[in-house]
Amino acid sequence: MIVRIWRGWTTPGNADAYESIVSTQVLPAIAERELPGYHGAYLLRRPLAEGEGEGEIDGEVEFSTIMYFDSLDAVRQFVGDDYEVAHVPAEARAVLARFDERSAHYETLLTPQDTRPG
């Protein structure tokens, strides 16, 4: 299993709009493509307080998407041969203050199921 992680930041005033765009447009559009080997995504959100994280701008809201794929070939089916490129549709870009241009990909070594008792 491959985990694809990406981050973007909004101003506090644009955070709800970005969350809505991703929740109601971006992720559903990806799911509708019925990509072989795609297993869905998490959307995470956190406000940044003063002094949090190197390079972070105080008062921004950080979002992260965590997507699950069977393989890097499945990721390539999603975004193309340059599989690290960020997938950020225009409507999402319009409300982001900044974002990672590249996504990080990790091989899954343990899952929650593997780490629970019994």
Side-chain angles (χ1 to χ4, degrees):
M1 180 79 63
I2 299 295
V3 176
R4 175 182 169 98
I5 300 175
W6 173 89
R7 298 179 309 157
W9 295 264
T10 69
T11 63
N14 282 339
D16 289 344
Y18 178 77
E19 181 180 340
S20 177
I21 289 166
V22 174
S23 299
T24 65
Q25 297 174 41
V26 177
L27 292 177
I30 294 168
E32 287 172 8
R33 291 172 59 186
E34 297 183 357
L35 297 163
Y38 172 64
H39 296 284
Y42 285 95
L43 175 61
L44 309 176
R45 173 181 173 160
R46 74 177 180 132
L48 297 177
E50 188 172 333
E52 278 193 58
E54 185 177 325
E56 310 295 351
I57 298 173
D58 293 342
E60 286 187 325
V61 178
E62 179 182 9
F63 288 87
S64 182
T65 55
I66 301 175
M67 304 175 79
Y68 295 89
F69 294 87
D70 283 340
S71 65
L72 288 177
D73 285 336
V75 178
R76 287 183 186 95
Q77 289 290 318
F78 169 50
V79 288
D81 287 338
D82 185 8
Y83 67 87
E84 289 184 343
V85 70
H87 174 75
V88 188
E91 60 272 19
R93 288 174 189 257
V95 294
L96 286 165
R98 60 193 176 95
F99 60 90
D100 291 339
E101 297 282 342
R102 315 287 292 168
S103 296
H105 297 82
Y106 297 85
E107 180 181 347
T108 304
L109 303 178
L110 292 171
T111 68
Q113 182 178 353
D114 299 328
T115 59
R116 285 193 306 253

